Amino acid sequence: MITLRGRTVVPGVAEGEALVSHETISGWGGIDPASGTIIERRHELCGVCFTGKILVFPGAKGSSGWSGFFQSSRLLGTAPLGMIFTVTTTKAALGAVVTRVPTLSDLDQDPVAVIRTGDHLRLDADRGIVEITRG
């Protein structure tokens, strides 16, 4: 088991499968909140659903609409279980807050480099740790 430590953005605990993006994600036009799917045409995860997974990614890109689209995914029941992002930005932090899922950032190792899609994660944002079990 691998353990990473980070800074809490939104408290809470989530456990589930990791979905890792090596690219930032655009909220406005980059996701379909109705299906929980990344729809950004040139994105490495275009067509992949994040619903029920812990989304691991470098951060948000684009306009302030990012938070609105991720809040919509919460309201529609398609949000990720949790989020882990590399660097805290206002867009990513606000998106995590309105999505209301456990979220960590600024970890002691780059989560995008350490965590793999399919790994099982226990994200304990109350304590600021994520435990990784290889999938």
Side-chain angles (χ1 to χ4, degrees):
M1 181 179 306
I2 302 165
T3 302
L4 303 179
R5 299 187 188 301
R7 185 173 78 156
T8 299
V9 178
V10 178
V13 177
E15 195 164 338
E17 181 182 341
L19 176 62
V20 179
S21 171
H22 296 90
E23 301 174 18
T24 55
I25 297 174
S26 176
W28 185 275
I31 69 164
D32 174 12
S35 65
T37 301
I38 297 169
I39 59 170
E40 191 175 342
R41 292 193 328 187
R42 292 190 176 121
H43 196 279
E44 67 178 308
L45 296 180
C46 184
V48 177
C49 182
F50 53 72
T51 302
K53 298 193 173 135
I54 298 176
L55 187 57
V56 182
F57 60 111
K61 69 177 173 185
S63 72
S64 57
W66 201 89
S67 58
F69 273 74
F70 271 89
Q71 179 187 30
S72 294
S73 74
R74 176 182 61 83
L75 295 172
L76 294 167
T78 62
L81 289 175
M83 293 190 219
I84 300 170
F85 43 85
T86 307
V87 178
T88 303
T89 63
T90 54
K91 282 187 272 288
L94 180 57
V97 168
V98 299
T99 306
R100 298 183 187 167
V101 296
T103 304
L104 287 179
S105 183
D106 303 310
L107 285 86
D108 56 0
Q109 295 181 61
D110 180 358
V112 172
V114 176
I115 301 169
R116 301 177 194 152
T117 293
D119 285 349
H120 181 82
L121 304 181
R122 184 170 192 285
L123 170 57
D124 186 341
D126 292 334
R127 295 177 35 216
I129 57 175
V130 59
E131 297 172 336
I132 307 156
T133 305
R134 293 289 181 215

